[in-house]
Amino acid sequence: MNCMDALAKQIRESILRISHHSGHGHIPTCFSVVEMLCAVYKSIRHDPKNPGWKERDIFILSKGHAALGLYCTLAHFGYFPVEDVYAFGAFGSRFGCHADRFKVPGVELSTGSLGHGIGVALGMALGFKLSGSERRVYVMVGDGESNEGTVWESLMVAANRSLNNLTVLLDNNGSQSRCLPIDDPQAKLSAFGLDVVSVDGHNITAISRALEHSNSKPRAIIANTTKGAGCATLVRDMFAWHRRSPNAAELETLLGELNAAAV
Amino acid sequence: MRQQFRDTALRLAGMDDKLILLFGDISVYLFNDFSRQYPGRLLNIGICENTLISMAAGMSAAGFHPVVHTIAPFVTERSYEQVKLDLCYNRFGCTIVTCGSSFDYAWDGATHHCYTDLALMRMLPGMEVMQPGSKREFDILFSACYRNGNPTYIRIAADEHGLDLPVEFGRGVVVKETPGATVTVITAGPILKNVHTACSDLPVNVLYFPTIKPIDRDLLMRFADTKILVVHDAFGLFEAVNASCPAAAEYHGLPDDFCCHYGTLTDIRGLLGLDAAGIRQRAGAML
């Protein structure tokens, strides 16, 4: 990973501190998508002060276990104070470990079970197209999530319906390397009829460029990422850290690693 | 009843440009008139039931009133999680219209039998569940619900009960009331025909519930001091009655087993004691 964007670093720091405070979090998978989330919310039409704006574009986090990353990103883009997210996972909190669209401004779909968000995104994109709307739909799926057959059903239908207002961001972070990896996603997605680009998933500029799309096919962006990117400990032990939250000493270690990576 | 689905959709589409049909590669030929009259509003998506449901949720979010149509077991049993999460949990309105439920495809064997759909759909928060027993009832119930913003399940049947009843959404119907009767027979859907025949000269009450969720609790309570017998060629109604009625109901319907027979709907109903003679014997034993 090259020099980390200042906003991406802030979001990662929030993720670490909130995970430590709450005792919850899928930190490595959140860290693999931070730059994608930054690029998306810098690029799409949205208004944090008016989350229900009728002409907004839609972003759906289909890989719903990265919810903490989404919350921290929405907070840093002004949807709500980041302090609110410290109630993450607590009884009575509106910030669950998987997001509830009725509780969190900016969350367009309640996700969690894998392989659902992309199908709903497909329906939204089709609906906007049939309505003659210019609104666009962006959906982020994981490579692990892509073990689910529904992902591929949806991709087939998206291509069949020429939904060029749909962009699929594949977080290609190697999470399935120990069981069912999505080998050569470029070839697979191209064969399914999508317009595919492959980018460094930790380069906001490159991702933003890939989000600009204007041909007749739905776009797929293969974002090559690293689980836990930004903290050497998380990268090294990504499976051990899959669902862990850091204790006080570990938090200091991880923050130190994050600061070092951001230099 | 499937022709009525087409005719109802044709009628409503002319008044509502947000009505859109998502088909799982069935009934497309039957709906040729719809496709001609309303181009682009019948989308034959393919044989991908899970995606059909997820897409419908998205189209609802985009402002449409989607109607998903395919064969009952594949969209209820296979796609249960999509219905649960994408429609019910996310509260997106959609009407699911199925064919081939219970033993309508008797000859196709157990893979194509579907008697759990009503029970499964009934368990999902926010879901409305209907089993019309005639073309007219389908027209009334579909028209009442398809754009109310709720997820709705309606199964259409190959058979009809042949009675003309005052049906409306959420209400049960008293088909027969016998003064002083100690037994009330409750049913839903086309099998009312057999129930009606079976009970024609028995001193019982007969209630009919084309809406299984929300069940008409007020009507049930009127008969709560009688012995209740639910006669149904599916699961779901029995559970709905027991959940609402203080007295335990009895069930005359399906065994805890697959039906590994072929033939016709009539053959299977006869095998299961759901012909008029079987129903009469069961109801008579309660007197």
Side-chain angles (χ1 to χ4, degrees), chain B residues 62-108:
Chain B
F64 286 87
H65 303 305
V67 178
V68 168
H69 174 52
T70 189
I71 302 172
F74 311 135
V75 78
T76 57
E77 293 166 346
R78 174 181 292 160
S79 305
Y80 195 58
E81 194 184 63
Q82 276 73 23
V83 178
K84 171 190 164 193
L85 297 180
D86 300 350
L87 296 181
C88 296
Y89 179 49
N90 275 286
R91 288 186 239 156
F92 288 124
C94 168
T95 306
I96 303 169
V97 177
T98 65
C99 57
S101 52
S102 283
F103 304 102
D104 279 359
Y105 294 164
W107 51 85
D108 282 326

Side-chain angles (χ1 to χ4, degrees), chain B residues 21-247:
Chain B
L21 308 179
L22 304 176
F23 281 17
D25 201 26
I26 65 162
S27 304
V28 177
Y29 183 78
L30 178 68
F31 275 70
N32 271 347
D33 287 349
F34 186 99
S35 297
R36 270 193 293 271
Q37 203 163 327
Y38 301 106
R41 291 175 59 187
L42 189 164
L43 307 176
N44 185 18
I45 300 299
I47 306 167
C48 47
E49 295 82 8
N50 299 337
T51 294
L52 271 178
I53 295 294
S54 299
M55 282 183 75
M59 298 203 71
S60 174
F64 286 87
H65 303 305
V67 178
V68 168
H69 174 52
T70 189
I71 302 172
F74 311 135
V75 78
T76 57
E77 293 166 346
R78 174 181 292 160
S79 305
Y80 195 58
E81 194 184 63
Q82 276 73 23
V83 178
K84 171 190 164 193
L85 297 180
D86 300 350
L87 296 181
C88 296
Y89 179 49
N90 275 286
R91 288 186 239 156
F92 288 124
C94 168
T95 306
I96 303 169
V97 177
T98 65
C99 57
S101 52
S102 283
F103 304 102
D104 279 359
Y105 294 164
W107 51 85
D108 282 326
T111 59
H112 282 59
H113 300 163
C114 185
Y115 31 78
T116 63
D117 55 339
L118 301 167
L120 289 170
M121 294 296 112
R122 176 186 162 270
M123 287 193 292
L124 294 175
M127 178 65 88
E128 300 163 341
V129 181
M130 277 160 274
Q131 186 188 9
S134 71
K135 292 175 183 172
R136 182 175 157 274
E137 289 175 15
F138 174 85
D139 186 61
I140 292 168
L141 296 172
F142 182 94
S143 303
C145 295
Y146 87 94
R147 55 174 296 164
N148 68 5
N150 297 325
T152 300
Y153 180 75
I154 306 180
R155 58 142 81 170
I156 52 182
D159 195 15
E160 292 192 76
H161 55 55
L163 303 178
D164 186 12
L165 300 172
V167 161
E168 59 182 294
F169 171 67
R171 303 294 298 272
V173 178
V174 180
V175 178
K176 173 179 175 176
E177 188 164 8
T178 304
T182 58
V183 173
T184 301
V185 180
I186 293 176
T187 193
I191 202 157
L192 172 62
K193 178 169 57 181
N194 291 1
V195 171
H196 189 248
T197 303
C199 298
S200 60
D201 60 349
L202 291 179
V204 299
N205 308 310
V206 176
L207 306 184
Y208 175 66
F209 290 88
T211 303
I212 291 172
K213 185 181 179 183
I215 196 83
D216 185 349
R217 192 166 187 276
D218 291 344
L219 182 61
L220 278 173
M221 292 307 293
R222 271 186 55 205
F223 295 86
D225 60 347
T226 67
K227 289 185 280 187
I228 303 287
L229 174 66
V230 174
V231 177
H232 201 203
D233 52 352
F235 300 114
L237 177 65
F238 175 61
E239 294 86 342
V241 169
N242 266 331
S244 302
C245 207

